[in-house]
Amino acid sequence: MIPRRSPIRPATRDGATLTCAGVSVDFGGFRALSDVTATFPAGQVHAVVGQNGAGKTTLSRVMAGLVTPAAGTVQVGDRLLPGGNVSEARRNGVELVHQHFALPPDFTVAECFELFNGEQGTVGAFSRAGLTRRAADLLAGAGAEVAPDAVIGRLPVETLQAVEIARALASCPKVLILDEPTAVLPPPAMRGLFDRLRRLAADGMCVIVVLHKMREVFGVADTACALRAGRLVLEPTPIGELDPATLSRAVVGDVTVEAAGTTPEPATSAPVELEVRELGARSGAHDASAADVSLRIRQGEIVGVAGVEGNGQRSLVEAIVGVTGVRSGSIAIGGTDVSAAPVRERRARGLRVIPFERNVEGVSLSSALWENHAAMDGGRGAFLITPQALKRRCQEALRRWKVSYRSVDQQTGNLSGGNVQKTILAREITDGLRVLVAAHPTRGLDIAAASDVRGALVRAAEAGAAVLVVSADLEEMFEVCHRVLVMLGGRVVATFERPFDAEPVGAAMVGGGGG
Amino acid sequence: MGDFLVTCLQAATPIWLAALAGMYAQRAGVVHLGLEGLLVSGAFAATATAVGTGSIVLALAAAVAVNLVLSALFWVLTTYFKANVMIVGLGLSLTAAGATGYALVVVFGSEAAIRSPIGLPRPFDGLSGPLAPLGDLSIVTFAAVVLSWFAWWSIRRTRAGLRLSACGSDPFAAKSAGVPVERYRLAALLIGGFLCALAGAELSLAQVQSFSDGISQGRGYLAFAAVLLGGVAPVGVSVASLFFGLAAALGIQSQVDFNDALPPQFVLMAPYVVTIVAISVTALANRRRGRQQTVIMERTL
């Protein structure tokens, strides 16, 4: 069969109005969505907001045909979609950009485009050259700078999003749904994305975007609707009729969310708890090597490390923790050099960690809560353990940290993201804490949980710990940190002091900030 | 030399076809530990039918039919009854070994072996000159060459192959693209059943023309090793299978050449040792690069 170059249709994005009517979804006995009715007109950007577990992702997946609703219908234009049929939804012009991307890790970019190429049937062969050409066209059309033969698993997260958006736009959809597209982006890239969405909407497309933060909603959306516990508590409402406070209230209900604030900066004479000198270290292929990184954190001080992901933050954190070897330079905790010390010794000196990937590095999702809680004692104490005592201790700790759970025997994976993070805090923030390293402590958490976690960091500093926060969330860092360093290409390229200004920090993150 | 290459190919053929079967399955996201069972069931069905009917076409058809049914059963158990893929695969292998041994006794009243009056056709039989050794190769070996090219083409150059690979690499992405993942898995298993039927027929009807208990001698597991060693890629899997064939042929040859000097067991051990070393090295290299070994990953909705 002769490979046919698939036609790239001109940008006639005839949008269509998407209507959900009485949509309900059950997962087992759990009602993830109940009776959601909403209309999203074409030519606008619609924000869907809500806390974790409110049903935002489920709603977007119902609209895209990935989840079969127990009741209710989804309509595009005047076409009623059959529930839970992705092919049919895509044929009718509904594309979903996933939060964690639906791109097979060992595929090339070109192969991913072909996988999602709905214009041709199952039967048929292609040539490498044809595939590459089509991908190059699509990437160019979407303004993504990536080689068609790049392997997905080796691409940084921003590029992945660009690829995912390009593949979604490849079919010229009428409705484009984006599930938390901003969770992985640094501020400059976020503005680029928002401009893009605005242009697509201006061309007539119906753009539905799931968002977390109020500022983002007011930055991009024409209308906003809010989900809480699976119910639509605010119908799509023009943004002009809303203010942040109203929307926040809709999202969290009557719970009051208070800003964590921060502690006063410690005196310059306060003893240095964590000192990193001219550190060189490399964690793996996905992160730049940390090169010549020096930082000092005093007792009670909170220092942030900002940067686009992959610029050496992980190398730095892993070297401090002790899971990656120190190539050059030194690390000292409480004045003692620990450059060559094993993790256990560093922990004994008061180092505690909230790791990057809480579900992979922080806890074992398939283990019971008490087992995760007891894991910190690894290697200490007696050879045998007494589960009853450990369970009791876990219970006390979880109660103190206000974790919602049923039983300490339940699998950790059953908890929501915020509660998982709190179980890690409960394990890590204990007596003897001197240095706390927190990597993306609030990533993916809802407003209330994020605020709790930030509060915990601030209290740890108040109690005299040195805190290092690595985050992609500048607002968060500006709220709690006394100093913010920016890493780029493995080096610390800039240091900012209070009061912070987002513009120069964001510019430094992408290497633009005044040289 | 020509004889030696022919011995290599003969030894490699069953492993090769079974390994291609395993590759299709694993690409679709199914770790196939039932290859051994499908080899044995294919070999038995082919031999029994050949004995009963005297027709080689019917023998092959019976082997294919039996293996398609068993593969479909594999799929039903793992898909509808959510049974563990590894356990169903191992169960299939063990059951096939036991059931064929039992059938030998019950149907044929023989505990040792049944001999077939006919064997697989040898398309180049009777050639003279330097190509004469080719005459010893059965039609299935030539089929294996063609099928391995087909495997490469179907995986690397067709849309269906791409979708199949997505089912194994990232089932969630496949679903998002509208690919009916379970149906692709069924298709992969059925193709595998067909390939293993040919492999089984080669085992029992190519050279020895008989079926005996334990005929496959773990070749199905060797095929599984070839899948991993070959990186689940069509070319790699074929190369790995041919390598195993080479090692087996060396073992046979060394028995002839220096029977006293080097115990043939050591040569026969070679492919297994190399497999362990190669898989360990790959795993270590992957870990160095910070990649995790993917056995089967399923993102849930």
Side-chain angles (χ1 to χ4, degrees), chain B residues 57-131:
Chain B
V57 174
L58 286 180
L60 283 174
V64 170
V66 166
N67 273 7
L68 290 185
V69 170
L70 290 177
S71 297
L73 182 70
F74 188 119
W75 180 77
V76 169
L77 288 175
T78 52
T79 305
Y80 281 103
F81 298 101
K82 306 281 177 211
N84 181 297
V85 171
M86 308 255 184
I87 292 176
V88 174
L90 281 176
L92 178 58
S93 291
L94 295 173
T95 311
T100 50
Y102 180 67
L104 270 184
V105 180
V106 174
V107 182
F108 297 98
S110 145
E111 284 185 39
I114 43 169
R115 290 202 58 79
S116 161
I118 48 164
L120 290 170
R122 299 173 176 191
F124 294 105
D125 205 3
L127 278 184
S128 58
L131 291 178

Side-chain angles (χ1 to χ4, degrees), chain A residues 101 106 114 120 125-126 128, chain B residues 156-157 159 169 184 299:
Chain A
F101 315 124
D106 56 355
E114 189 61 24
Q120 295 175 15
F126 48 74
R128 288 279 119 172
Chain B
R156 299 289 187 208
R157 288 290 180 271
R159 201 158 297 117
S169 173
Y184 269 79
R299 255 196 285 173

Side-chain angles (χ1 to χ4, degrees), chain A residues 347-367:
Chain A
R347 293 193 69 107
R349 293 193 181 280
L351 174 72
R352 298 290 186 272
V353 188
I354 300 167
F356 283 92
E357 304 270 346
R358 66 174 153 270
N359 293 340
V360 182
E361 302 166 287
V363 293
S364 153
L365 288 181
S366 56
S367 300

